[in-house]
């Protein structure tokens, strides 16, 4: 059982408001716990607000509407994030005017629990209430509580986005660049999905980072009140330790994504997980080089020759640094001008996926997107794509594709049985040629003593036949087996360098 009353205080307040041309404004609801209160007893209208020490919660009115001409309904929605409290009395007042208590309710004790949202409405009735207060909205338009249903719809939408984008998908923007002040880092506007929430950074963020190494993170949380517009709020967080999803002290769920790492020397490492629809990803590729954009591994841009108008396409090659301001037009940023063996260069001419493809080349210097195959140890820190393509050729921190200079190439047998037992890049000595006494397969004179030929052109053949060679260059009859002749041959050939795409 409960009791309600409009105290005498309100009558005096109402008369005063009307006399000065103002409408009554009941704008706050107060919850109190009155010790020993008997809710079955009538309320003394001489009493107004209780002592402030008895107040357990107070909240601005969320909505007010009329119930006919002579009654007004005032409502508040107490969020689930408000801490637990117990009350047995509710008061309505104008918080801007002392002694303006407009309504008192005495009731049985009730507890608003943690995590539980609660809607409370008070109906204040007096003659001409709607007209006097200037309220024209009908309370029936908002008295139904749709909060639970709306939260369910929002959660379904979040889960659908999570299925499509995964936990993290940077669709556009969020480029991080170091500024002239080495402790200042700029984050550009962009769009990201984190934990199924779509976060939009509408303006640039300038972050100060004095401690390095460090990390930048994107924090997205959905916030609002039951009667306000809800939105996904995006903040940029800095932390030396890795941040993950968490629930804050108000019970709000935050979703966190890695943005960028700041190295000890101040350089930026791109941690973004790219994603989104194919058109979102495509629109950011094959675009003109942008000095403000932070490029990451595999991204492609183009530059235009000012004299000829010809376009050149470039691919960001480094897999350890993501930076802005490294123009592909500067040779120092590319393979052709790189001298640091501890990390990859930044740009490489874009040729598609040809990594590891060997090819003949009409010059002794390889094109910029390749290296010559000349039996050298290449640092894997620089030539990481080649090392990834051929891990079996890596030894320690170098990769060597083998010796090919001056050698013939023979197609690997791969089970045919014509040249069985061979491994990739294995070496084989010269071939043996036999002929019979009919002369149908007689060898052409090779012109020099065989023993003289070996160090100049051939390895000695792997044979066990006894043999005789003559000074005039003719191959003599084998004295141990008069029906056989032997020799070593090589085909006519043209020498060309060979390179391999990196």
């Amino acid at each position: 059982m409960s009791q309600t009353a409009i105290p005498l205080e309100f009558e005096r307040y109402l008369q005063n408001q009307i006399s000065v041309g103002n409408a009554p404004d009941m704008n706050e609801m107060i919850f109190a716990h009155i010790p020993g209160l008997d809710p079955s007893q009538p309320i003394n209208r001489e009493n107004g607000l209780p002592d402030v020490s008895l107040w357990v919660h107070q909240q601005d009115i969320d909505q007010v509407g009329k119930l006919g001409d002579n009654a007004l309904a005032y409502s508040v929605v107490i969020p689930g994030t408000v801490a637990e409290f117990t009350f047995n009395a509710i008061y309505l007042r104008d918080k801007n005017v002392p002694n303006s208590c407009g309504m008192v309710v005495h009731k049985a004790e009730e507890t608003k629990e943690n995590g539980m949202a609660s809607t409370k409405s008070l109906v204040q009735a007096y003659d001409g209430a709607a007209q006097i207060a200037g309220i024209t909205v009908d309370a029936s338009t908002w008295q139904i509580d749709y909060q639970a249903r709306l939260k369910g719809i929002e959660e379904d939408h979040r889960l659908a986005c999570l299925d499509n984008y995964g936990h993290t998908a940077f669709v556009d923007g969020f480029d991080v660049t170091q500024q002239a002040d080495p402790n200042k880092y700029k984050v550009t506007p962009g769009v990201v999905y984190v934990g199924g929430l779509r976060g939009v950074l509408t303006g640039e963020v300038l972050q100060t980072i004095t401690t390095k190494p460090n990390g930048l993170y994107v924090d997205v949380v959905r916030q609002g009140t039951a009667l306000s517009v809800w939105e996904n709020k995006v903040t940029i967080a800095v932390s030396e330790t890795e941040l993950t999803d968490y629930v804050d002290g108000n019970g709000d769920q935050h979703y966190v994504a890695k943005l960028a790492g700041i190295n000890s020397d101040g350089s930026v490492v791109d941690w973004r997980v790219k994603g989104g629809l194919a058109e979102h990803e495509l629109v950011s590729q094959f675009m003109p080089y942008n000095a403000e954009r932070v490029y990451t591994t595999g991204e492609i841009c183009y530059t235009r020759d000012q004299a000829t108008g010809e376009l050149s396409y470039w691919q960001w090659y480094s897999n350890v640094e993501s930076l802005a301001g490294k123009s592909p037009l500067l040779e120092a940023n590319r393979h052709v001008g790189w001298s640091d063996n501890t990390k990859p260069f930044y740009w490489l001419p874009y040729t598609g996926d040809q990594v590891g493809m060997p090819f003949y080349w009409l010059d002794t210097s390889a094109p910029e997107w390749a290296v010559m195959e000349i039996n050298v140890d290449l640092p894997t820190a620089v030539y990481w794509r080649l090392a990834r393509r051929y891990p079996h050729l890596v030894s320690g921190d170098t990769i060597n594709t083998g010796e090919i200079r001056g050698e013939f190439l023979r197609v690997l047998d791969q089970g045919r049985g014509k040249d069985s037992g061979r491994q990739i890049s294995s070496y084989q000595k010269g071939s043996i040629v036999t002929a019979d006494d009919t002369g149908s397969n007689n060898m052409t004179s090779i012109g020099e003593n065989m023993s003289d030929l070996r160090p100049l052109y051939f390895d000695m053949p792997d044979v066990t036949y006894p043999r005789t060679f003559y000074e005039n260059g003719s191959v003599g009859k084998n004295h141990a087996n008069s029906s056989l002749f032997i020799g070593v041959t090589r085909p006519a050939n043209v020498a060309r360098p060979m390179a391999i795409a990196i």
Side-chain angles (χ1 to χ4, degrees):
M1 185 176 179
S2 63
Q3 300 287 333
T4 63
I6 295 179
L8 298 177
E9 273 188 6
F10 179 72
E11 295 182 5
R12 292 188 288 268
Y13 162 81
L14 182 60
Q15 291 173 0
N16 184 67
Q17 290 291 98
I18 294 174
S19 68
V20 297
N22 294 331
D25 183 18
M26 297 290 101
N27 50 43
E28 186 178 51
M29 198 175 291
I30 295 172
F31 297 80
H33 186 266
I34 311 298
L37 180 67
D38 183 355
S40 65
Q41 296 300 312
I43 298 173
N44 184 353
R45 294 185 64 213
E46 294 288 345
N47 296 334
L49 295 175
D51 187 81
V52 70
S53 64
L54 301 177
W55 297 6
V56 293
H57 180 66
Q58 59 190 107
Q59 184 168 323
D60 289 348
I61 298 299
D62 291 315
Q63 288 281 15
V64 59
K66 68 175 184 175
L67 295 174
D69 295 330
N70 302 317
L72 300 175
Y74 296 88
S75 291
V76 296
V77 179
I78 307 171
T81 55
V82 173
E84 179 180 300
F85 63 87
T86 299
F87 62 97
N88 57 9
I90 308 175
Y91 301 85
L92 193 63
R93 73 157 181 168
D94 182 345
K95 63 181 179 181
N96 299 311
V97 179
N99 304 319
S100 60
C101 182
M103 188 172 180
V104 179
V105 176
H106 289 175
K107 63 185 297 298
E109 281 192 356
E110 180 181 343
T111 299
K112 185 275 171 194
E113 298 178 355
N114 284 323
M116 177 188 72
S118 179
T119 301
K120 293 299 177 184
S121 297
L122 299 182
V123 177
Q124 185 189 43
Y126 56 93
D127 289 342
Q131 182 179 3
I132 293 172
I135 303 300
T136 59
V137 177
D138 198 303
S140 62
T141 61
W142 49 265
Q143 279 295 303
I144 300 174
D145 182 10
Y146 288 102
Q147 186 175 13
R149 182 179 180 184
L150 292 175
K151 283 189 174 181
I153 294 173
E154 289 183 345
E155 181 63 9
D156 282 345
H157 182 262
R158 186 189 72 83
L159 293 175
C161 290
L162 192 65
D163 290 340
N164 287 328
Y165 294 96
H167 180 274
T168 302
F170 283 90
V171 175
D172 188 36
F174 284 94
D175 301 322
V176 179
T177 54
Q178 189 177 30
Q179 303 302 287
D181 182 339
N183 292 327
K184 301 288 186 182
Y185 292 83
K186 183 178 71 176
V187 182
T188 63
V191 178
V192 63
Y193 283 85
V194 187
L197 298 181
R198 184 177 187 270
V200 179
L201 191 64
T202 56
E204 292 181 349
V205 173
L206 194 62
Q207 199 76 47
T208 300
I209 302 176
T210 56
T211 304
K212 303 165 187 175
N214 219 315
L216 286 170
Y217 298 82
V218 176
D219 186 316
V220 183
V221 60
R222 186 163 182 78
Q223 291 180 334
T225 68
L227 298 172
S228 72
V229 175
W230 283 66
E231 60 182 348
N232 301 329
K233 297 184 178 180
V234 179
T235 56
I236 305 299
V238 179
S239 177
E240 296 179 54
T241 58
E242 183 175 346
L243 299 181
T244 57
D245 299 347
Y246 67 97
V247 176
D248 65 21
N250 293 324
D252 293 333
Q253 175 68 60
H254 292 246
Y255 298 96
V256 180
K258 291 182 175 181
L259 175 56
I262 309 300
N263 292 326
S264 299
D265 61 0
S267 59
V268 179
V269 179
D270 191 357
W271 286 348
R272 291 174 297 179
V273 176
K274 297 298 181 66
L277 302 178
E279 54 265 33
H280 290 155
E281 297 175 339
L282 182 60
V283 75
S284 65
Q285 301 304 308
F286 298 96
M287 299 294 286
Y289 169 71
N290 182 357
E292 294 294 321
R293 179 181 176 86
V294 176
Y295 289 91
T296 189
T297 310
E299 290 197 314
I300 302 162
C301 71
Y302 73 82
T303 56
R304 185 186 298 274
D305 188 288
Q306 297 300 314
T308 66
E310 181 182 358
L311 302 184
S312 296
Y313 285 88
W314 308 94
Q315 186 172 43
W316 187 267
Y317 177 81
S318 176
N319 66 336
V320 298
E321 289 182 290
S322 297
L323 304 172
K326 299 294 183 181
S327 173
L329 296 179
L330 297 178
E331 290 189 354
N333 295 328
R334 305 188 336 234
H335 183 212
V336 67
W338 198 255
S339 59
D340 189 342
N341 287 336
T342 65
K343 63 180 183 180
F345 42 89
Y346 300 132
W347 293 104
L348 193 69
Y350 177 65
T351 60
D353 186 14
Q354 303 181 85
V355 178
M357 181 186 72
F359 58 94
Y360 287 109
W361 189 246
L362 298 182
D363 199 341
T364 56
S365 297
E368 186 175 347
W369 45 271
V371 291
M372 300 305 297
E373 282 203 85
I374 53 175
N375 194 30
V376 296
D377 292 332
L378 301 172
T380 56
V382 177
Y383 299 95
W384 65 272
R385 292 203 308 191
L386 198 59
R388 184 175 66 181
R389 182 58 56 91
Y390 297 125
H392 60 285
L393 299 180
V394 174
S395 176
D397 57 2
T398 63
I399 179 172
N400 192 319
T401 58
E403 181 63 273
I404 199 69
R405 293 171 295 178
E407 301 289 353
F408 299 104
L409 298 180
R410 184 171 187 175
V411 178
L412 189 66
D413 189 275
Q414 289 188 279
R416 182 183 180 192
K418 188 83 171 177
D419 187 28
S420 59
R422 298 292 300 282
Q423 301 295 320
I424 294 178
S425 298
S426 61
Y427 179 74
Q428 188 181 60
K429 292 183 178 181
S431 303
I432 298 174
V433 177
T434 62
D436 55 34
D437 284 336
T438 66
S440 60
N441 288 317
N442 287 339
M443 292 178 55
T444 301
S445 173
I446 55 180
E448 294 185 63
N449 185 288
M450 189 63 180
S451 61
D452 292 334
L453 284 172
R454 184 186 63 76
L456 296 175
Y457 302 99
F458 306 107
D459 291 311
M460 289 299 293
D462 293 325
V463 296
T464 56
Y465 303 115
R467 54 202 182 278
T468 302
F469 303 102
Y470 293 92
E471 293 294 335
N472 64 5
S474 299
V475 179
K477 180 181 288 187
N478 189 312
H479 295 287
N481 186 339
S482 61
S483 64
L484 293 176
F485 293 88
I486 64 172
V488 176
T489 184
R490 64 178 171 86
N493 67 88
V494 175
R496 275 190 183 172
M498 178 168 276
I500 186 169
I502 57 174

mmCIF file of all heavy atoms in Angstrom, residues 124-153:
data_model
loop_
_atom_site.group_PDB
_atom_site.id
_atom_site.type_symbol
_atom_site.label_atom_id
_atom_site.label_comp_id
_atom_site.label_asym_id
_atom_site.label_seq_id
_atom_site.Cartn_x
_atom_site.Cartn_y
_atom_site.Cartn_z
ATOM 1 N N GLN A 124 0.863 14.019 -11.012
ATOM 2 C CA GLN A 124 0.477 15.151 -10.188
ATOM 3 C C GLN A 124 -0.844 15.735 -10.749
ATOM 4 O O GLN A 124 -0.888 16.112 -11.938
ATOM 5 C CB GLN A 124 1.573 16.216 -10.189
ATOM 6 C CG GLN A 124 1.313 17.383 -9.247
ATOM 7 C CD GLN A 124 2.322 18.502 -9.453
ATOM 8 O OE1 GLN A 124 2.645 18.844 -10.591
ATOM 9 N NE2 GLN A 124 2.810 19.079 -8.363
ATOM 10 N N ALA A 125 -1.881 15.774 -9.924
ATOM 11 C CA ALA A 125 -3.196 16.217 -10.404
ATOM 12 C C ALA A 125 -3.663 17.477 -9.676
ATOM 13 O O ALA A 125 -3.605 17.556 -8.451
ATOM 14 C CB ALA A 125 -4.219 15.089 -10.211
ATOM 15 N N TYR A 126 -4.106 18.469 -10.448
ATOM 16 C CA TYR A 126 -4.768 19.664 -9.911
ATOM 17 C C TYR A 126 -5.490 20.318 -11.081
ATOM 18 O O TYR A 126 -5.175 20.088 -12.265
ATOM 19 C CB TYR A 126 -3.784 20.613 -9.227
ATOM 20 C CG TYR A 126 -2.621 21.083 -10.067
ATOM 21 C CD1 TYR A 126 -2.709 22.284 -10.779
ATOM 22 C CD2 TYR A 126 -1.431 20.359 -10.129
ATOM 23 C CE1 TYR A 126 -1.655 22.731 -11.540
ATOM 24 C CE2 TYR A 126 -0.376 20.802 -10.892
ATOM 25 C CZ TYR A 126 -0.475 21.978 -11.597
ATOM 26 O OH TYR A 126 0.567 22.420 -12.359
ATOM 27 N N ASP A 127 -6.419 21.133 -10.786
ATOM 28 C CA ASP A 127 -7.251 21.735 -11.820
ATOM 29 C C ASP A 127 -6.417 22.556 -12.802
ATOM 30 O O ASP A 127 -5.616 23.406 -12.402
ATOM 31 C CB ASP A 127 -8.329 22.643 -11.191
ATOM 32 C CG ASP A 127 -9.414 21.853 -10.471
ATOM 33 O OD1 ASP A 127 -9.526 20.636 -10.754
ATOM 34 O OD2 ASP A 127 -10.121 22.445 -9.643
ATOM 35 N N GLY A 128 -6.620 22.269 -14.099
ATOM 36 C CA GLY A 128 -5.942 23.030 -15.150
ATOM 37 C C GLY A 128 -4.453 22.802 -15.210
ATOM 38 O O GLY A 128 -3.706 23.642 -15.731
ATOM 39 N N ALA A 129 -3.969 21.655 -14.704
ATOM 40 C CA ALA A 129 -2.526 21.394 -14.607
ATOM 41 C C ALA A 129 -1.828 21.524 -15.952
ATOM 42 O O ALA A 129 -0.766 22.166 -16.064
ATOM 43 C CB ALA A 129 -2.297 20.012 -14.006
ATOM 44 N N ALA A 130 -2.397 20.903 -17.011
ATOM 45 C CA ALA A 130 -1.732 20.898 -18.321
ATOM 46 C C ALA A 130 -1.591 22.309 -18.867
ATOM 47 O O ALA A 130 -0.540 22.706 -19.381
ATOM 48 C CB ALA A 130 -2.496 20.019 -19.293
ATOM 49 N N GLN A 131 -2.660 23.120 -18.750
ATOM 50 C CA GLN A 131 -2.625 24.474 -19.283
ATOM 51 C C GLN A 131 -1.690 25.363 -18.477
ATOM 52 O O GLN A 131 -0.910 26.145 -19.033
ATOM 53 C CB GLN A 131 -4.036 25.053 -19.295
ATOM 54 C CG GLN A 131 -4.102 26.457 -19.888
ATOM 55 C CD GLN A 131 -5.523 26.999 -19.917
ATOM 56 O OE1 GLN A 131 -6.440 26.340 -19.440
ATOM 57 N NE2 GLN A 131 -5.690 28.199 -20.466
ATOM 58 N N ILE A 132 -1.767 25.237 -17.133
ATOM 59 C CA ILE A 132 -0.922 26.071 -16.276
ATOM 60 C C ILE A 132 0.564 25.786 -16.525
ATOM 61 O O ILE A 132 1.394 26.703 -16.600
ATOM 62 C CB ILE A 132 -1.281 25.843 -14.801
ATOM 63 C CG1 ILE A 132 -2.704 26.364 -14.519
ATOM 64 C CG2 ILE A 132 -0.274 26.526 -13.881
ATOM 65 C CD1 ILE A 132 -3.219 26.006 -13.142
ATOM 66 N N ALA A 133 0.916 24.487 -16.661
ATOM 67 C CA ALA A 133 2.332 24.106 -16.854
ATOM 68 C C ALA A 133 2.760 24.219 -18.307
ATOM 69 O O ALA A 133 3.955 24.089 -18.616
ATOM 70 C CB ALA A 133 2.557 22.689 -16.344
ATOM 71 N N GLY A 134 1.802 24.443 -19.221
ATOM 72 C CA GLY A 134 2.144 24.571 -20.635
ATOM 73 C C GLY A 134 2.553 23.257 -21.267
ATOM 74 O O GLY A 134 3.368 23.245 -22.199
ATOM 75 N N ILE A 135 1.985 22.131 -20.795
ATOM 76 C CA ILE A 135 2.340 20.808 -21.309
ATOM 77 C C ILE A 135 1.288 20.380 -22.319
ATOM 78 O O ILE A 135 0.089 20.317 -22.005
ATOM 79 C CB ILE A 135 2.427 19.773 -20.180
ATOM 80 C CG1 ILE A 135 3.451 20.223 -19.125
ATOM 81 C CG2 ILE A 135 2.797 18.400 -20.734
ATOM 82 C CD1 ILE A 135 4.855 20.396 -19.646
ATOM 83 N N THR A 136 1.702 20.111 -23.548
ATOM 84 C CA THR A 136 0.769 19.708 -24.603
ATOM 85 C C THR A 136 0.978 18.278 -25.069
ATOM 86 O O THR A 136 0.148 17.734 -25.789
ATOM 87 C CB THR A 136 0.916 20.635 -25.812
ATOM 88 O OG1 THR A 136 2.267 20.573 -26.295
ATOM 89 C CG2 THR A 136 0.581 22.085 -25.443
ATOM 90 N N VAL A 137 2.108 17.636 -24.703
ATOM 91 C CA VAL A 137 2.412 16.276 -25.133
ATOM 92 C C VAL A 137 1.630 15.287 -24.288
ATOM 93 O O VAL A 137 1.634 15.372 -23.055
ATOM 94 C CB VAL A 137 3.926 15.983 -25.021
ATOM 95 C CG1 VAL A 137 4.234 14.540 -25.397
ATOM 96 C CG2 VAL A 137 4.702 16.936 -25.903
ATOM 97 N N ASP A 138 1.001 14.338 -24.942
ATOM 98 C CA ASP A 138 0.252 13.305 -24.230
ATOM 99 C C ASP A 138 1.213 12.260 -23.684
ATOM 100 O O ASP A 138 2.073 11.750 -24.408
ATOM 101 C CB ASP A 138 -0.757 12.644 -25.166
ATOM 102 C CG ASP A 138 -1.835 11.891 -24.404
ATOM 103 O OD1 ASP A 138 -1.453 11.005 -23.612
ATOM 104 O OD2 ASP A 138 -3.032 12.195 -24.596
ATOM 105 N N ALA A 139 1.067 11.930 -22.416
ATOM 106 C CA ALA A 139 1.983 10.978 -21.765
ATOM 107 C C ALA A 139 1.915 9.591 -22.375
ATOM 108 O O ALA A 139 2.865 8.806 -22.261
ATOM 109 C CB ALA A 139 1.680 10.900 -20.273
ATOM 110 N N SER A 140 0.833 9.254 -23.071
ATOM 111 C CA SER A 140 0.707 7.908 -23.641
ATOM 112 C C SER A 140 1.732 7.654 -24.734
ATOM 113 O O SER A 140 1.991 6.519 -25.105
ATOM 114 C CB SER A 140 -0.704 7.710 -24.212
ATOM 115 O OG SER A 140 -0.955 8.632 -25.268
ATOM 116 N N THR A 141 2.338 8.721 -25.277
ATOM 117 C CA THR A 141 3.313 8.550 -26.359
ATOM 118 C C THR A 141 4.655 8.044 -25.857
ATOM 119 O O THR A 141 5.485 7.611 -26.657
ATOM 120 C CB THR A 141 3.526 9.869 -27.097
ATOM 121 O OG1 THR A 141 4.045 10.845 -26.185
ATOM 122 C CG2 THR A 141 2.228 10.379 -27.688
ATOM 123 N N TRP A 142 4.916 8.121 -24.565
ATOM 124 C CA TRP A 142 6.245 7.698 -24.088
ATOM 125 C C TRP A 142 6.215 6.869 -22.825
ATOM 126 O O TRP A 142 7.253 6.499 -22.287
ATOM 127 C CB TRP A 142 7.138 8.922 -23.852
ATOM 128 C CG TRP A 142 6.516 10.009 -23.037
ATOM 129 C CD1 TRP A 142 5.876 11.102 -23.493
ATOM 130 C CD2 TRP A 142 6.463 10.103 -21.604
ATOM 131 N NE1 TRP A 142 5.421 11.880 -22.458
ATOM 132 C CE2 TRP A 142 5.779 11.289 -21.278
ATOM 133 C CE3 TRP A 142 6.933 9.298 -20.562
ATOM 134 C CZ2 TRP A 142 5.539 11.691 -19.985
ATOM 135 C CZ3 TRP A 142 6.700 9.688 -19.272
ATOM 136 C CH2 TRP A 142 6.004 10.876 -18.975
ATOM 137 N N GLN A 143 5.046 6.528 -22.318
ATOM 138 C CA GLN A 143 4.992 5.779 -21.072
ATOM 139 C C GLN A 143 5.380 4.313 -21.221
ATOM 140 O O GLN A 143 5.679 3.642 -20.259
ATOM 141 C CB GLN A 143 3.586 5.859 -20.471
ATOM 142 C CG GLN A 143 3.328 7.138 -19.711
ATOM 143 C CD GLN A 143 4.221 7.234 -18.480
ATOM 144 O OE1 GLN A 143 4.205 6.352 -17.629
ATOM 145 N NE2 GLN A 143 4.994 8.303 -18.399
ATOM 146 N N ILE A 144 5.366 3.760 -22.478
ATOM 147 C CA ILE A 144 5.773 2.367 -22.680
ATOM 148 C C ILE A 144 7.300 2.296 -22.689
ATOM 149 O O ILE A 144 7.965 3.072 -23.380
ATOM 150 C CB ILE A 144 5.207 1.815 -23.995
ATOM 151 C CG1 ILE A 144 3.684 1.884 -23.961
ATOM 152 C CG2 ILE A 144 5.671 0.394 -24.230
ATOM 153 C CD1 ILE A 144 3.031 1.502 -25.272
ATOM 154 N N ASP A 145 7.890 1.357 -21.968
ATOM 155 C CA ASP A 145 9.349 1.215 -21.861
ATOM 156 C C ASP A 145 9.851 0.228 -22.922
ATOM 157 O O ASP A 145 9.643 -0.972 -22.802
ATOM 158 C CB ASP A 145 9.729 0.728 -20.459
ATOM 159 C CG ASP A 145 11.245 0.623 -20.300
ATOM 160 O OD1 ASP A 145 11.974 1.104 -21.192
ATOM 161 O OD2 ASP A 145 11.688 0.042 -19.292
ATOM 162 N N TYR A 146 10.488 0.777 -23.959
ATOM 163 C CA TYR A 146 11.014 -0.063 -25.032
ATOM 164 C C TYR A 146 12.503 -0.368 -24.843
ATOM 165 O O TYR A 146 13.147 -0.909 -25.729
ATOM 166 C CB TYR A 146 10.843 0.640 -26.377
ATOM 167 C CG TYR A 146 9.403 0.694 -26.859
ATOM 168 C CD1 TYR A 146 8.658 1.855 -26.737
ATOM 169 C CD2 TYR A 146 8.817 -0.421 -27.444
ATOM 170 C CE1 TYR A 146 7.347 1.908 -27.179
ATOM 171 C CE2 TYR A 146 7.505 -0.377 -27.896
ATOM 172 C CZ TYR A 146 6.768 0.794 -27.765
ATOM 173 O OH TYR A 146 5.481 0.838 -28.203
ATOM 174 N N GLN A 147 13.074 -0.033 -23.701
ATOM 175 C CA GLN A 147 14.523 -0.122 -23.521
ATOM 176 C C GLN A 147 15.046 -1.544 -23.730
ATOM 177 O O GLN A 147 16.038 -1.747 -24.438
ATOM 178 C CB GLN A 147 14.911 0.377 -22.136
ATOM 179 C CG GLN A 147 16.428 0.449 -21.946
ATOM 180 C CD GLN A 147 16.802 1.063 -20.618
ATOM 181 O OE1 GLN A 147 15.971 1.228 -19.748
ATOM 182 N NE2 GLN A 147 18.055 1.411 -20.455
ATOM 183 N N ALA A 148 14.383 -2.514 -23.140
ATOM 184 C CA ALA A 148 14.874 -3.895 -23.259
ATOM 185 C C ALA A 148 14.851 -4.358 -24.709
ATOM 186 O O ALA A 148 15.801 -4.987 -25.192
ATOM 187 C CB ALA A 148 14.029 -4.811 -22.382
ATOM 188 N N ARG A 149 13.756 -4.051 -25.402
ATOM 189 C CA ARG A 149 13.659 -4.472 -26.792
ATOM 190 C C ARG A 149 14.720 -3.805 -27.656
ATOM 191 O O ARG A 149 15.347 -4.433 -28.508
ATOM 192 C CB ARG A 149 12.266 -4.147 -27.330
ATOM 193 C CG ARG A 149 12.061 -4.594 -28.771
ATOM 194 C CD ARG A 149 10.666 -4.283 -29.253
ATOM 195 N NE ARG A 149 10.494 -4.713 -30.631
ATOM 196 C CZ ARG A 149 9.397 -4.501 -31.353
ATOM 197 N NH1 ARG A 149 8.370 -3.886 -30.790
ATOM 198 N NH2 ARG A 149 9.313 -4.908 -32.597
ATOM 199 N N LEU A 150 14.933 -2.496 -27.460
ATOM 200 C CA LEU A 150 15.929 -1.779 -28.241
ATOM 201 C C LEU A 150 17.329 -2.306 -28.000
ATOM 202 O O LEU A 150 18.136 -2.429 -28.925
ATOM 203 C CB LEU A 150 15.862 -0.281 -27.924
ATOM 204 C CG LEU A 150 14.595 0.441 -28.399
ATOM 205 C CD1 LEU A 150 14.607 1.879 -27.913
ATOM 206 C CD2 LEU A 150 14.478 0.386 -29.912
ATOM 207 N N LYS A 151 17.631 -2.631 -26.751
ATOM 208 C CA LYS A 151 18.958 -3.184 -26.454
ATOM 209 C C LYS A 151 19.144 -4.533 -27.132
ATOM 210 O O LYS A 151 20.238 -4.875 -27.596
ATOM 211 C CB LYS A 151 19.148 -3.313 -24.941
ATOM 212 C CG LYS A 151 19.449 -1.984 -24.255
ATOM 213 C CD LYS A 151 19.844 -2.178 -22.799
ATOM 214 C CE LYS A 151 20.282 -0.860 -22.182
ATOM 215 N NZ LYS A 151 20.687 -1.020 -20.770
ATOM 216 N N GLY A 152 18.059 -5.322 -27.207
ATOM 217 C CA GLY A 152 18.140 -6.602 -27.897
ATOM 218 C C GLY A 152 18.395 -6.426 -29.381
ATOM 219 O O GLY A 152 19.196 -7.159 -29.977
ATOM 220 N N ILE A 153 17.733 -5.446 -29.988
ATOM 221 C CA ILE A 153 17.949 -5.163 -31.402
ATOM 222 C C ILE A 153 19.386 -4.706 -31.646
ATOM 223 O O ILE A 153 20.052 -5.122 -32.606
ATOM 224 C CB ILE A 153 16.956 -4.087 -31.886
ATOM 225 C CG1 ILE A 153 15.529 -4.640 -31.841
ATOM 226 C CG2 ILE A 153 17.298 -3.625 -33.299
ATOM 227 C CD1 ILE A 153 14.465 -3.603 -32.128
#
